[in-house]
Amino acid sequence: EETNLTQSVVESQGGLFINVPYFSKRTQETRIIRVYPHVVQVPETTTVELEMRGTEHDSFKFITVQELLDMNESDCVPGLVQAFHHATYGKYDNQIPESVKEWASDEENGASVMTRNALALLEQETDEESIKFRALQIAMLRPSMVPIVNVMQHIIANGKESVTMESFAKDLQD
């Protein structure tokens, strides 16, 4: 909305926002930067002159998907790569199993079945760091489903043992 990109965009995908903690060296305060991922596919043969309209941003830069994936977190907004994966439904995240990526096209099962699938996937992880990483990946998948996100966020905050298949099934019955 702050650029002239609508004239040359082939396909546009937006994702949910993510809050990124940012420590300001100038003020010595921690702030939250809200990142709204928005992926724009522009044909390689198109030359785009980017026009910035009344924006607070210092600069924009077109990069390829591979350049983004190769970028160090310190070279961009923290969480940008994660936000990109959310906006693109995890399509380019090689660490998400293909079977999980297929959940986005599952039109037969509801959120409760998919949450059970997510819990079963987490059962395969053994160390706490891997569990939190995988839970965050699952929570960021699209289309977002509130039960999946809630359970994954609960696991990230309280550990894998805080939610079991049995406790989840019991909660569904209550």
Side-chain angles (χ1 to χ4, degrees):
E1 76 188 37
E2 297 175 344
T3 71
N4 60 327
L5 287 178
T6 55
Q7 297 153 6
S8 50
V9 169
V10 173
E11 179 182 349
S12 174
Q13 291 177 288
L16 298 176
F17 66 83
I18 61 171
N19 289 325
V20 179
Y22 169 75
F23 180 74
S24 171
K25 293 177 185 173
R26 184 178 59 80
T27 65
Q28 298 294 305
E29 294 177 349
T30 299
R31 299 183 345 198
I32 298 294
I33 297 174
R34 185 162 281 179
V35 177
Y36 290 90
H38 201 79
V39 178
V40 179
Q41 181 180 0
V42 179
E44 289 185 32
T45 57
T46 303
T47 302
V48 177
E49 289 292 323
L50 187 61
E51 176 187 321
M52 298 183 357
R53 301 175 177 160
T55 176
E56 70 276 3
H57 306 293
D58 296 331
S59 64
F60 284 88
K61 180 180 178 184
F62 287 104
I63 59 173
T64 65
V65 170
Q66 195 56 53
E67 287 173 318
L68 176 68
L69 297 178
D70 292 342
M71 192 179 290
N72 290 322
E73 280 282 317
S74 61
D75 295 335
C76 63
V77 174
L80 182 63
V81 174
Q82 178 187 11
F84 168 77
H85 288 311
H86 184 258
T88 57
Y89 300 86
K91 177 180 177 180
Y92 301 99
D93 190 340
N94 295 330
Q95 297 179 341
I96 298 176
E98 286 301 316
S99 61
V100 175
K101 289 181 185 180
E102 291 171 6
W103 293 354
S105 59
D106 185 338
E107 296 178 4
E108 292 180 26
N109 296 303
S112 63
V113 170
M114 293 186 158
T115 304
R116 282 191 198 106
N117 292 345
L119 288 170
L121 183 64
L122 289 181
E123 286 295 321
Q124 299 170 16
E125 302 294 339
T126 54
D127 66 281
E128 200 64 32
E129 207 53 40
S130 296
I131 292 164
K132 288 183 178 184
F133 179 75
R134 181 70 70 203
L136 187 58
Q137 283 182 318
I138 293 169
M140 290 294 290
L141 287 175
R142 307 256 326 265
S144 295
M145 294 189 174
V146 173
I148 295 173
V149 173
N150 287 346
V151 169
M152 295 302 109
Q153 294 294 351
H154 183 83
I155 289 171
I156 290 167
N158 302 299
K160 176 179 162 184
E161 303 305 318
S162 64
V163 179
T164 63
M165 288 287 206
E166 293 78 23
S167 67
F168 178 71
K170 184 178 182 309
D171 287 345
L172 285 177
Q173 292 171 352
D174 291 344

